Amino acid sequence: MTLNGKVALITGGGQGVGRGIALALARQGADVALMGRTQETLDKVVPEIEAIGRRAFATTGNVRSAADLAQLVDRTVDALGGIDILVNNAQEVPLGALLEVEDEAFAGGFESGPLAAFRLMRLVQPVMKARGGGVIFNLVTSAGVRWNMAGYGTYGAIKQAMRNLTRAAAAEWGTDGIRVLSIAPLAMSPGMEGWIKGSPDEAAAYFQTIPLGRVGDCEEDIGRGVAALASDDLRYLTGATIPLDGGQANFD
């Protein structure tokens, strides 16, 4: 196991991609702290991690709350001894045409996305530095690089801001042993399932653009990819955007 002795902190860890990453990291030896808004979903994931033989800690909270994030980091350090891996996964998604998206939804997307990531990155930086380094993952999206941005303008703008934070942190904290990466996943998450049901024709056309011909599994494709990137095997990689999407997106 490549992550023995490591502690991972994952927001939005109760379901979908967050849960998949949590399980994959645990299978590689990491202990895992989870934050989510629903205690019921978190309570299902904690015993799954413990069944793998790793320690798990979970707490409810809102990533839009600076106080909740500070408490999350403190409680994780107290419960598990430190933080080596941070996964900024939780995100409110404002979708729709520019004339349809309300100011409140757009602001909520920024507060739950780049602002929450910014706050958590700064909170864990001294913890990781004291432990000799760490890895931060910011989850982004190929929607930010679509040619036709209709319906995705606010969502793409928010996620592109995450990529800029990734690049800055990678440059500023590299000498502290901290690597920072953006991950653009395409997975069968609850959000993806809802989109498929709500827009079946658009979804069918979209799936035709995936070279590997399928939507990724949250643990086997996304989680295991993140676990590999978190290991020392890729210790010279930082500041990049990694598409875990079956070859669908073009970030060039």
Side-chain angles (χ1 to χ4, degrees), residues 105-159:
F106 196 17
F110 264 100
E111 290 175 4
S112 64
L115 181 55
F118 172 71
R119 286 169 168 164
L120 268 178
M121 289 163 66
R122 297 206 301 179
L123 286 166
V124 305
Q125 189 271 348
V127 180
M128 289 184 173
K129 182 178 179 179
R131 289 168 69 84
V135 189
I136 296 171
F137 295 98
N138 292 323
L139 269 68
V140 298
T141 178
S142 61
V145 295
R146 290 169 63 107
W147 178 254
N148 181 353
M149 291 292 295
Y152 295 92
T154 52
Y155 177 45
I158 288 165
K159 288 298 191 180

mmCIF file of all heavy atoms in Angstrom, residues 105-159:
data_model
loop_
_atom_site.group_PDB
_atom_site.id
_atom_site.type_symbol
_atom_site.label_atom_id
_atom_site.label_comp_id
_atom_site.label_asym_id
_atom_site.label_seq_id
_atom_site.Cartn_x
_atom_site.Cartn_y
_atom_site.Cartn_z
ATOM 1 N N ALA A 105 -27.116 32.140 -6.595
ATOM 2 C CA ALA A 105 -26.571 30.854 -7.009
ATOM 3 C C ALA A 105 -25.126 30.983 -7.465
ATOM 4 O O ALA A 105 -24.282 30.134 -7.164
ATOM 5 C CB ALA A 105 -27.426 30.262 -8.125
ATOM 6 N N PHE A 106 -24.834 32.062 -8.205
ATOM 7 C CA PHE A 106 -23.470 32.289 -8.684
ATOM 8 C C PHE A 106 -22.533 32.517 -7.491
ATOM 9 O O PHE A 106 -21.433 31.948 -7.408
ATOM 10 C CB PHE A 106 -23.469 33.497 -9.626
ATOM 11 C CG PHE A 106 -22.235 33.615 -10.486
ATOM 12 C CD1 PHE A 106 -21.372 32.553 -10.686
ATOM 13 C CD2 PHE A 106 -21.966 34.822 -11.116
ATOM 14 C CE1 PHE A 106 -20.251 32.677 -11.495
ATOM 15 C CE2 PHE A 106 -20.841 34.964 -11.940
ATOM 16 C CZ PHE A 106 -19.976 33.889 -12.118
ATOM 17 N N ALA A 107 -22.959 33.354 -6.550
ATOM 18 C CA ALA A 107 -22.145 33.618 -5.359
ATOM 19 C C ALA A 107 -21.960 32.350 -4.526
ATOM 20 O O ALA A 107 -20.870 32.094 -3.999
ATOM 21 C CB ALA A 107 -22.796 34.715 -4.517
ATOM 22 N N GLY A 108 -23.018 31.539 -4.436
ATOM 23 C CA GLY A 108 -22.916 30.289 -3.694
ATOM 24 C C GLY A 108 -21.918 29.333 -4.316
ATOM 25 O O GLY A 108 -21.194 28.609 -3.614
ATOM 26 N N GLY A 109 -21.865 29.337 -5.645
ATOM 27 C CA GLY A 109 -20.889 28.501 -6.326
ATOM 28 C C GLY A 109 -19.465 28.922 -6.009
ATOM 29 O O GLY A 109 -18.587 28.083 -5.779
ATOM 30 N N PHE A 110 -19.223 30.219 -5.986
ATOM 31 C CA PHE A 110 -17.884 30.709 -5.661
ATOM 32 C C PHE A 110 -17.535 30.452 -4.195
ATOM 33 O O PHE A 110 -16.404 30.085 -3.864
ATOM 34 C CB PHE A 110 -17.777 32.208 -5.965
ATOM 35 C CG PHE A 110 -17.185 32.489 -7.321
ATOM 36 C CD1 PHE A 110 -18.004 32.805 -8.392
ATOM 37 C CD2 PHE A 110 -15.821 32.412 -7.527
ATOM 38 C CE1 PHE A 110 -17.475 33.051 -9.650
ATOM 39 C CE2 PHE A 110 -15.280 32.648 -8.768
ATOM 40 C CZ PHE A 110 -16.098 32.969 -9.836
ATOM 41 N N GLU A 111 -18.507 30.638 -3.308
ATOM 42 C CA GLU A 111 -18.229 30.443 -1.887
ATOM 43 C C GLU A 111 -17.954 28.976 -1.574
ATOM 44 O O GLU A 111 -17.103 28.661 -0.736
ATOM 45 C CB GLU A 111 -19.404 30.950 -1.057
ATOM 46 C CG GLU A 111 -19.545 32.467 -1.062
ATOM 47 C CD GLU A 111 -20.784 32.937 -0.332
ATOM 48 O OE1 GLU A 111 -21.494 32.082 0.245
ATOM 49 O OE2 GLU A 111 -21.057 34.149 -0.340
ATOM 50 N N SER A 112 -18.669 28.068 -2.225
ATOM 51 C CA SER A 112 -18.498 26.642 -1.957
ATOM 52 C C SER A 112 -17.367 26.040 -2.774
ATOM 53 O O SER A 112 -16.883 24.948 -2.448
ATOM 54 C CB SER A 112 -19.796 25.883 -2.275
ATOM 55 O OG SER A 112 -20.110 25.978 -3.666
ATOM 56 N N GLY A 113 -16.921 26.748 -3.833
ATOM 57 C CA GLY A 113 -15.858 26.241 -4.686
ATOM 58 C C GLY A 113 -14.524 26.897 -4.400
ATOM 59 O O GLY A 113 -13.807 26.501 -3.464
ATOM 60 N N PRO A 114 -14.135 27.907 -5.181
ATOM 61 C CA PRO A 114 -12.804 28.487 -5.004
ATOM 62 C C PRO A 114 -12.562 29.148 -3.649
ATOM 63 O O PRO A 114 -11.453 29.056 -3.128
ATOM 64 C CB PRO A 114 -12.699 29.502 -6.147
ATOM 65 C CG PRO A 114 -14.078 29.692 -6.674
ATOM 66 C CD PRO A 114 -14.820 28.439 -6.369
ATOM 67 N N LEU A 115 -13.568 29.785 -3.058
ATOM 68 C CA LEU A 115 -13.334 30.405 -1.751
ATOM 69 C C LEU A 115 -13.125 29.339 -0.678
ATOM 70 O O LEU A 115 -12.222 29.455 0.161
ATOM 71 C CB LEU A 115 -14.481 31.332 -1.369
ATOM 72 C CG LEU A 115 -14.330 32.067 -0.027
ATOM 73 C CD1 LEU A 115 -13.022 32.843 0.031
ATOM 74 C CD2 LEU A 115 -15.527 32.994 0.218
ATOM 75 N N ALA A 116 -13.954 28.289 -0.694
ATOM 76 C CA ALA A 116 -13.778 27.202 0.272
ATOM 77 C C ALA A 116 -12.431 26.519 0.073
ATOM 78 O O ALA A 116 -11.725 26.214 1.050
ATOM 79 C CB ALA A 116 -14.908 26.194 0.142
ATOM 80 N N ALA A 117 -12.054 26.275 -1.178
ATOM 81 C CA ALA A 117 -10.757 25.653 -1.459
ATOM 82 C C ALA A 117 -9.620 26.543 -0.978
ATOM 83 O O ALA A 117 -8.647 26.069 -0.372
ATOM 84 C CB ALA A 117 -10.627 25.370 -2.951
ATOM 85 N N PHE A 118 -9.726 27.829 -1.252
ATOM 86 C CA PHE A 118 -8.726 28.811 -0.817
ATOM 87 C C PHE A 118 -8.543 28.764 0.700
ATOM 88 O O PHE A 118 -7.422 28.727 1.217
ATOM 89 C CB PHE A 118 -9.189 30.192 -1.287
ATOM 90 C CG PHE A 118 -8.384 31.353 -0.783
ATOM 91 C CD1 PHE A 118 -7.091 31.585 -1.236
ATOM 92 C CD2 PHE A 118 -8.934 32.251 0.128
ATOM 93 C CE1 PHE A 118 -6.360 32.675 -0.780
ATOM 94 C CE2 PHE A 118 -8.208 33.348 0.579
ATOM 95 C CZ PHE A 118 -6.909 33.546 0.122
ATOM 96 N N ARG A 119 -9.666 28.741 1.412
ATOM 97 C CA ARG A 119 -9.599 28.715 2.874
ATOM 98 C C ARG A 119 -8.972 27.419 3.381
ATOM 99 O O ARG A 119 -8.089 27.432 4.259
ATOM 100 C CB ARG A 119 -11.007 28.881 3.449
ATOM 101 C CG ARG A 119 -11.559 30.289 3.335
ATOM 102 C CD ARG A 119 -13.044 30.338 3.661
ATOM 103 N NE ARG A 119 -13.508 31.714 3.825
ATOM 104 C CZ ARG A 119 -14.800 32.065 3.815
ATOM 105 N NH1 ARG A 119 -15.746 31.132 3.641
ATOM 106 N NH2 ARG A 119 -15.138 33.331 3.960
ATOM 107 N N LEU A 120 -9.417 26.290 2.832
ATOM 108 C CA LEU A 120 -8.893 25.012 3.310
ATOM 109 C C LEU A 120 -7.423 24.837 2.950
ATOM 110 O O LEU A 120 -6.638 24.307 3.752
ATOM 111 C CB LEU A 120 -9.717 23.859 2.727
ATOM 112 C CG LEU A 120 -10.900 23.376 3.558
ATOM 113 C CD1 LEU A 120 -11.644 22.278 2.833
ATOM 114 C CD2 LEU A 120 -10.445 22.897 4.929
ATOM 115 N N MET A 121 -7.041 25.269 1.761
ATOM 116 C CA MET A 121 -5.638 25.169 1.361
ATOM 117 C C MET A 121 -4.748 25.933 2.335
ATOM 118 O O MET A 121 -3.689 25.448 2.737
ATOM 119 C CB MET A 121 -5.471 25.683 -0.069
ATOM 120 C CG MET A 121 -6.057 24.768 -1.132
ATOM 121 S SD MET A 121 -6.296 25.591 -2.723
ATOM 122 C CE MET A 121 -4.601 25.916 -3.197
ATOM 123 N N ARG A 122 -5.170 27.119 2.716
ATOM 124 C CA ARG A 122 -4.373 27.925 3.646
ATOM 125 C C ARG A 122 -4.371 27.316 5.060
ATOM 126 O O ARG A 122 -3.377 27.428 5.778
ATOM 127 C CB ARG A 122 -4.886 29.358 3.681
ATOM 128 C CG ARG A 122 -4.763 30.069 2.338
ATOM 129 C CD ARG A 122 -4.649 31.559 2.470
ATOM 130 N NE ARG A 122 -5.789 32.153 3.153
ATOM 131 C CZ ARG A 122 -5.901 33.458 3.401
ATOM 132 N NH1 ARG A 122 -4.935 34.293 3.041
ATOM 133 N NH2 ARG A 122 -6.966 33.943 4.009
ATOM 134 N N LEU A 123 -5.468 26.666 5.443
ATOM 135 C CA LEU A 123 -5.528 26.045 6.765
ATOM 136 C C LEU A 123 -4.625 24.819 6.860
ATOM 137 O O LEU A 123 -3.992 24.583 7.900
ATOM 138 C CB LEU A 123 -6.969 25.643 7.081
ATOM 139 C CG LEU A 123 -7.940 26.776 7.439
ATOM 140 C CD1 LEU A 123 -9.375 26.287 7.396
ATOM 141 C CD2 LEU A 123 -7.608 27.359 8.817
ATOM 142 N N VAL A 124 -4.554 24.036 5.783
ATOM 143 C CA VAL A 124 -3.761 22.806 5.852
ATOM 144 C C VAL A 124 -2.285 23.042 5.522
ATOM 145 O O VAL A 124 -1.443 22.185 5.825
ATOM 146 C CB VAL A 124 -4.322 21.698 4.926
ATOM 147 C CG1 VAL A 124 -5.787 21.415 5.236
ATOM 148 C CG2 VAL A 124 -4.134 22.035 3.458
ATOM 149 N N GLN A 125 -1.959 24.170 4.903
ATOM 150 C CA GLN A 125 -0.571 24.401 4.487
ATOM 151 C C GLN A 125 0.423 24.270 5.640
ATOM 152 O O GLN A 125 1.429 23.550 5.521
ATOM 153 C CB GLN A 125 -0.450 25.773 3.806
ATOM 154 C CG GLN A 125 0.893 26.021 3.140
ATOM 155 C CD GLN A 125 1.925 26.642 4.087
ATOM 156 O OE1 GLN A 125 1.578 27.093 5.183
ATOM 157 N NE2 GLN A 125 3.173 26.654 3.680
ATOM 158 N N PRO A 126 0.203 24.932 6.784
ATOM 159 C CA PRO A 126 1.180 24.778 7.865
ATOM 160 C C PRO A 126 1.218 23.363 8.431
ATOM 161 O O PRO A 126 2.271 22.901 8.886
ATOM 162 C CB PRO A 126 0.717 25.795 8.914
ATOM 163 C CG PRO A 126 -0.719 26.068 8.595
ATOM 164 C CD PRO A 126 -0.846 25.918 7.121
ATOM 165 N N VAL A 127 0.085 22.670 8.414
ATOM 166 C CA VAL A 127 0.040 21.289 8.900
ATOM 167 C C VAL A 127 0.878 20.396 7.997
ATOM 168 O O VAL A 127 1.691 19.584 8.466
ATOM 169 C CB VAL A 127 -1.412 20.781 8.971
ATOM 170 C CG1 VAL A 127 -1.458 19.339 9.470
ATOM 171 C CG2 VAL A 127 -2.257 21.679 9.868
ATOM 172 N N MET A 128 0.693 20.536 6.686
ATOM 173 C CA MET A 128 1.457 19.732 5.737
ATOM 174 C C MET A 128 2.944 20.079 5.785
ATOM 175 O O MET A 128 3.803 19.192 5.753
ATOM 176 C CB MET A 128 0.915 19.942 4.320
ATOM 177 C CG MET A 128 -0.440 19.326 4.069
ATOM 178 S SD MET A 128 -0.954 19.533 2.331
ATOM 179 C CE MET A 128 -2.438 18.532 2.310
ATOM 180 N N LYS A 129 3.245 21.352 5.853
ATOM 181 C CA LYS A 129 4.649 21.779 5.898
ATOM 182 C C LYS A 129 5.359 21.171 7.098
ATOM 183 O O LYS A 129 6.504 20.697 6.978
ATOM 184 C CB LYS A 129 4.728 23.304 5.940
ATOM 185 C CG LYS A 129 6.148 23.848 5.947
ATOM 186 C CD LYS A 129 6.154 25.374 5.939
ATOM 187 C CE LYS A 129 7.581 25.915 5.967
ATOM 188 N NZ LYS A 129 7.610 27.404 5.942
ATOM 189 N N ALA A 130 4.697 21.158 8.245
ATOM 190 C CA ALA A 130 5.305 20.604 9.449
ATOM 191 C C ALA A 130 5.537 19.102 9.329
ATOM 192 O O ALA A 130 6.434 18.554 9.994
ATOM 193 C CB ALA A 130 4.418 20.899 10.661
ATOM 194 N N ARG A 131 4.758 18.434 8.469
ATOM 195 C CA ARG A 131 4.897 16.988 8.279
ATOM 196 C C ARG A 131 5.826 16.645 7.113
ATOM 197 O O ARG A 131 5.966 15.481 6.751
ATOM 198 C CB ARG A 131 3.515 16.365 8.067
ATOM 199 C CG ARG A 131 2.670 16.361 9.330
ATOM 200 C CD ARG A 131 1.220 16.030 9.061
ATOM 201 N NE ARG A 131 0.972 14.665 8.663
ATOM 202 C CZ ARG A 131 0.820 13.641 9.496
ATOM 203 N NH1 ARG A 131 0.941 13.842 10.814
ATOM 204 N NH2 ARG A 131 0.559 12.428 9.058
ATOM 205 N N GLY A 132 6.433 17.672 6.508
ATOM 206 C CA GLY A 132 7.372 17.441 5.420
ATOM 207 C C GLY A 132 6.773 17.493 4.037
ATOM 208 O O GLY A 132 7.452 17.212 3.042
ATOM 209 N N GLY A 133 5.490 17.878 3.935
ATOM 210 C CA GLY A 133 4.856 18.018 2.631
ATOM 211 C C GLY A 133 3.492 17.366 2.579
ATOM 212 O O GLY A 133 2.981 16.861 3.587
ATOM 213 N N GLY A 134 2.883 17.381 1.395
ATOM 214 C CA GLY A 134 1.559 16.802 1.208
ATOM 215 C C GLY A 134 1.092 17.028 -0.214
ATOM 216 O O GLY A 134 1.826 17.540 -1.063
ATOM 217 N N VAL A 135 -0.141 16.634 -0.465
ATOM 218 C CA VAL A 135 -0.730 16.771 -1.801
ATOM 219 C C VAL A 135 -2.132 17.342 -1.663
ATOM 220 O O VAL A 135 -2.921 16.865 -0.836
ATOM 221 C CB VAL A 135 -0.803 15.427 -2.548
ATOM 222 C CG1 VAL A 135 -1.204 15.650 -4.004
ATOM 223 C CG2 VAL A 135 0.515 14.675 -2.472
ATOM 224 N N ILE A 136 -2.430 18.366 -2.449
ATOM 225 C CA ILE A 136 -3.752 18.987 -2.477
ATOM 226 C C ILE A 136 -4.376 18.744 -3.842
ATOM 227 O O ILE A 136 -3.733 18.972 -4.873
ATOM 228 C CB ILE A 136 -3.668 20.495 -2.204
ATOM 229 C CG1 ILE A 136 -3.135 20.753 -0.787
ATOM 230 C CG2 ILE A 136 -5.035 21.167 -2.390
ATOM 231 C CD1 ILE A 136 -2.823 22.216 -0.506
ATOM 232 N N PHE A 137 -5.619 18.277 -3.853
ATOM 233 C CA PHE A 137 -6.366 18.061 -5.087
ATOM 234 C C PHE A 137 -7.575 18.994 -5.123
ATOM 235 O O PHE A 137 -8.390 18.993 -4.199
ATOM 236 C CB PHE A 137 -6.863 16.616 -5.182
ATOM 237 C CG PHE A 137 -5.772 15.596 -5.285
ATOM 238 C CD1 PHE A 137 -5.339 14.914 -4.157
ATOM 239 C CD2 PHE A 137 -5.181 15.307 -6.507
ATOM 240 C CE1 PHE A 137 -4.328 13.971 -4.241
ATOM 241 C CE2 PHE A 137 -4.171 14.363 -6.607
ATOM 242 C CZ PHE A 137 -3.740 13.690 -5.477
ATOM 243 N N ASN A 138 -7.684 19.783 -6.176
ATOM 244 C CA ASN A 138 -8.855 20.616 -6.411
ATOM 245 C C ASN A 138 -9.637 20.027 -7.578
ATOM 246 O O ASN A 138 -9.096 19.889 -8.679
ATOM 247 C CB ASN A 138 -8.434 22.051 -6.727
ATOM 248 C CG ASN A 138 -7.812 22.743 -5.541
ATOM 249 O OD1 ASN A 138 -8.224 22.539 -4.402
ATOM 250 N ND2 ASN A 138 -6.801 23.567 -5.785
ATOM 251 N N LEU A 139 -10.899 19.678 -7.347
ATOM 252 C CA LEU A 139 -11.689 19.077 -8.410
ATOM 253 C C LEU A 139 -12.268 20.160 -9.319
ATOM 254 O O LEU A 139 -12.929 21.091 -8.834
ATOM 255 C CB LEU A 139 -12.788 18.188 -7.841
ATOM 256 C CG LEU A 139 -12.327 16.724 -7.669
ATOM 257 C CD1 LEU A 139 -11.272 16.607 -6.588
ATOM 258 C CD2 LEU A 139 -13.493 15.800 -7.406
ATOM 259 N N VAL A 140 -12.024 20.018 -10.618
ATOM 260 C CA VAL A 140 -12.461 20.991 -11.607
ATOM 261 C C VAL A 140 -13.307 20.264 -12.664
ATOM 262 O O VAL A 140 -13.841 19.190 -12.401
ATOM 263 C CB VAL A 140 -11.252 21.719 -12.231
ATOM 264 C CG1 VAL A 140 -10.499 22.485 -11.154
ATOM 265 C CG2 VAL A 140 -10.316 20.761 -12.945
ATOM 266 N N THR A 141 -13.459 20.853 -13.845
ATOM 267 C CA THR A 141 -14.335 20.258 -14.842
ATOM 268 C C THR A 141 -13.931 20.655 -16.254
ATOM 269 O O THR A 141 -13.422 21.764 -16.483
ATOM 270 C CB THR A 141 -15.797 20.692 -14.611
ATOM 271 O OG1 THR A 141 -16.629 20.135 -15.646
ATOM 272 C CG2 THR A 141 -15.946 22.206 -14.653
ATOM 273 N N SER A 142 -14.189 19.754 -17.178
ATOM 274 C CA SER A 142 -13.954 20.068 -18.590
ATOM 275 C C SER A 142 -14.972 21.075 -19.116
ATOM 276 O O SER A 142 -14.787 21.639 -20.197
ATOM 277 C CB SER A 142 -14.017 18.789 -19.437
ATOM 278 O OG SER A 142 -15.291 18.182 -19.343
ATOM 279 N N ALA A 143 -16.048 21.331 -18.351
ATOM 280 C CA ALA A 143 -17.026 22.349 -18.757
ATOM 281 C C ALA A 143 -16.376 23.718 -18.848
ATOM 282 O O ALA A 143 -16.878 24.606 -19.540
ATOM 283 C CB ALA A 143 -18.198 22.386 -17.777
ATOM 284 N N GLY A 144 -15.251 23.899 -18.180
ATOM 285 C CA GLY A 144 -14.554 25.182 -18.222
ATOM 286 C C GLY A 144 -13.788 25.422 -19.504
ATOM 287 O O GLY A 144 -13.328 26.546 -19.745
ATOM 288 N N VAL A 145 -13.631 24.379 -20.330
ATOM 289 C CA VAL A 145 -12.869 24.536 -21.576
ATOM 290 C C VAL A 145 -13.705 24.156 -22.801
ATOM 291 O O VAL A 145 -13.159 23.916 -23.880
ATOM 292 C CB VAL A 145 -11.562 23.705 -21.542
ATOM 293 C CG1 VAL A 145 -10.632 24.231 -20.470
ATOM 294 C CG2 VAL A 145 -11.848 22.224 -21.316
ATOM 295 N N ARG A 146 -15.024 24.095 -22.641
ATOM 296 C CA ARG A 146 -15.899 23.824 -23.788
ATOM 297 C C ARG A 146 -15.838 24.980 -24.783
ATOM 298 O O ARG A 146 -15.732 26.141 -24.392
ATOM 299 C CB ARG A 146 -17.352 23.664 -23.326
ATOM 300 C CG ARG A 146 -17.626 22.401 -22.531
ATOM 301 C CD ARG A 146 -18.992 22.463 -21.886
ATOM 302 N NE ARG A 146 -20.057 22.535 -22.866
ATOM 303 C CZ ARG A 146 -20.895 21.536 -23.156
ATOM 304 N NH1 ARG A 146 -20.766 20.380 -22.525
ATOM 305 N NH2 ARG A 146 -21.841 21.685 -24.044
ATOM 306 N N TRP A 147 -15.921 24.656 -26.066
ATOM 307 C CA TRP A 147 -16.014 25.719 -27.059
ATOM 308 C C TRP A 147 -17.374 26.398 -26.960
ATOM 309 O O TRP A 147 -17.491 27.617 -26.939
ATOM 310 C CB TRP A 147 -15.787 25.175 -28.464
ATOM 311 C CG TRP A 147 -15.935 26.245 -29.504
ATOM 312 C CD1 TRP A 147 -16.968 26.427 -30.381
ATOM 313 C CD2 TRP A 147 -15.034 27.331 -29.763
ATOM 314 N NE1 TRP A 147 -16.775 27.539 -31.154
ATOM 315 C CE2 TRP A 147 -15.586 28.116 -30.797
ATOM 316 C CE3 TRP A 147 -13.820 27.722 -29.209
ATOM 317 C CZ2 TRP A 147 -14.967 29.259 -31.287
ATOM 318 C CZ3 TRP A 147 -13.199 28.859 -29.697
ATOM 319 C CH2 TRP A 147 -13.773 29.614 -30.729
ATOM 320 N N ASN A 148 -18.421 25.592 -26.896
ATOM 321 C CA ASN A 148 -19.773 26.125 -26.729
ATOM 322 C C ASN A 148 -20.092 26.128 -25.235
ATOM 323 O O ASN A 148 -20.421 25.105 -24.657
ATOM 324 C CB ASN A 148 -20.786 25.264 -27.490
ATOM 325 C CG ASN A 148 -22.207 25.796 -27.365
ATOM 326 O OD1 ASN A 148 -22.483 26.732 -26.608
ATOM 327 N ND2 ASN A 148 -23.122 25.205 -28.105
ATOM 328 N N MET A 149 -20.001 27.302 -24.611
ATOM 329 C CA MET A 149 -20.198 27.420 -23.176
ATOM 330 C C MET A 149 -21.655 27.683 -22.784
ATOM 331 O O MET A 149 -21.931 27.954 -21.612
ATOM 332 C CB MET A 149 -19.328 28.558 -22.629
ATOM 333 C CG MET A 149 -17.832 28.278 -22.671
ATOM 334 S SD MET A 149 -17.342 26.956 -21.528
ATOM 335 C CE MET A 149 -17.709 27.709 -19.955
ATOM 336 N N ALA A 150 -22.563 27.622 -23.726
ATOM 337 C CA ALA A 150 -23.970 27.894 -23.420
ATOM 338 C C ALA A 150 -24.453 26.979 -22.298
ATOM 339 O O ALA A 150 -24.336 25.761 -22.387
ATOM 340 C CB ALA A 150 -24.826 27.695 -24.670
ATOM 341 N N GLY A 151 -24.981 27.576 -21.255
ATOM 342 C CA GLY A 151 -25.491 26.822 -20.118
ATOM 343 C C GLY A 151 -24.449 26.469 -19.086
ATOM 344 O O GLY A 151 -24.777 25.956 -18.017
ATOM 345 N N TYR A 152 -23.179 26.732 -19.392
ATOM 346 C CA TYR A 152 -22.098 26.347 -18.480
ATOM 347 C C TYR A 152 -21.210 27.529 -18.075
ATOM 348 O O TYR A 152 -20.161 27.336 -17.465
ATOM 349 C CB TYR A 152 -21.219 25.261 -19.115
ATOM 350 C CG TYR A 152 -21.951 23.960 -19.345
ATOM 351 C CD1 TYR A 152 -22.591 23.711 -20.564
ATOM 352 C CD2 TYR A 152 -22.023 22.998 -18.353
ATOM 353 C CE1 TYR A 152 -23.268 22.527 -20.778
ATOM 354 C CE2 TYR A 152 -22.700 21.809 -18.552
ATOM 355 C CZ TYR A 152 -23.321 21.576 -19.774
ATOM 356 O OH TYR A 152 -23.994 20.404 -19.983
ATOM 357 N N GLY A 153 -21.598 28.746 -18.403
ATOM 358 C CA GLY A 153 -20.739 29.899 -18.166
ATOM 359 C C GLY A 153 -20.387 30.115 -16.713
ATOM 360 O O GLY A 153 -19.209 30.291 -16.371
ATOM 361 N N THR A 154 -21.384 30.113 -15.825
ATOM 362 C CA THR A 154 -21.102 30.377 -14.415
ATOM 363 C C THR A 154 -20.359 29.200 -13.782
ATOM 364 O O THR A 154 -19.412 29.394 -13.002
ATOM 365 C CB THR A 154 -22.404 30.658 -13.644
ATOM 366 O OG1 THR A 154 -23.350 29.597 -13.895
ATOM 367 C CG2 THR A 154 -23.018 31.975 -14.105
ATOM 368 N N TYR A 155 -20.764 27.987 -14.107
ATOM 369 C CA TYR A 155 -20.106 26.797 -13.578
ATOM 370 C C TYR A 155 -18.650 26.745 -14.036
ATOM 371 O O TYR A 155 -17.730 26.521 -13.244
ATOM 372 C CB TYR A 155 -20.865 25.552 -14.037
ATOM 373 C CG TYR A 155 -20.263 24.234 -13.620
ATOM 374 C CD1 TYR A 155 -19.797 24.024 -12.328
ATOM 375 C CD2 TYR A 155 -20.200 23.172 -14.519
ATOM 376 C CE1 TYR A 155 -19.266 22.801 -11.943
ATOM 377 C CE2 TYR A 155 -19.675 21.948 -14.143
ATOM 378 C CZ TYR A 155 -19.208 21.768 -12.861
ATOM 379 O OH TYR A 155 -18.692 20.558 -12.482
ATOM 380 N N GLY A 156 -18.427 26.970 -15.338
ATOM 381 C CA GLY A 156 -17.076 26.947 -15.875
ATOM 382 C C GLY A 156 -16.196 28.031 -15.267
ATOM 383 O O GLY A 156 -15.022 27.811 -14.973
ATOM 384 N N ALA A 157 -16.768 29.222 -15.062
ATOM 385 C CA ALA A 157 -15.998 30.316 -14.474
ATOM 386 C C ALA A 157 -15.524 29.964 -13.069
ATOM 387 O O ALA A 157 -14.376 30.247 -12.685
ATOM 388 C CB ALA A 157 -16.850 31.585 -14.433
ATOM 389 N N ILE A 158 -16.381 29.331 -12.299
ATOM 390 C CA ILE A 158 -16.040 28.944 -10.936
ATOM 391 C C ILE A 158 -14.929 27.907 -10.922
ATOM 392 O O ILE A 158 -13.955 28.009 -10.164
ATOM 393 C CB ILE A 158 -17.298 28.417 -10.221
ATOM 394 C CG1 ILE A 158 -18.241 29.582 -9.907
ATOM 395 C CG2 ILE A 158 -16.949 27.624 -8.973
ATOM 396 C CD1 ILE A 158 -19.642 29.162 -9.547
ATOM 397 N N LYS A 159 -15.054 26.908 -11.768
ATOM 398 C CA LYS A 159 -14.059 25.835 -11.779
ATOM 399 C C LYS A 159 -12.731 26.295 -12.386
ATOM 400 O O LYS A 159 -11.665 25.804 -11.988
ATOM 401 C CB LYS A 159 -14.606 24.632 -12.545
ATOM 402 C CG LYS A 159 -15.691 23.876 -11.794
ATOM 403 C CD LYS A 159 -15.162 23.296 -10.489
ATOM 404 C CE LYS A 159 -16.121 22.317 -9.852
ATOM 405 N NZ LYS A 159 -15.592 21.758 -8.585
#
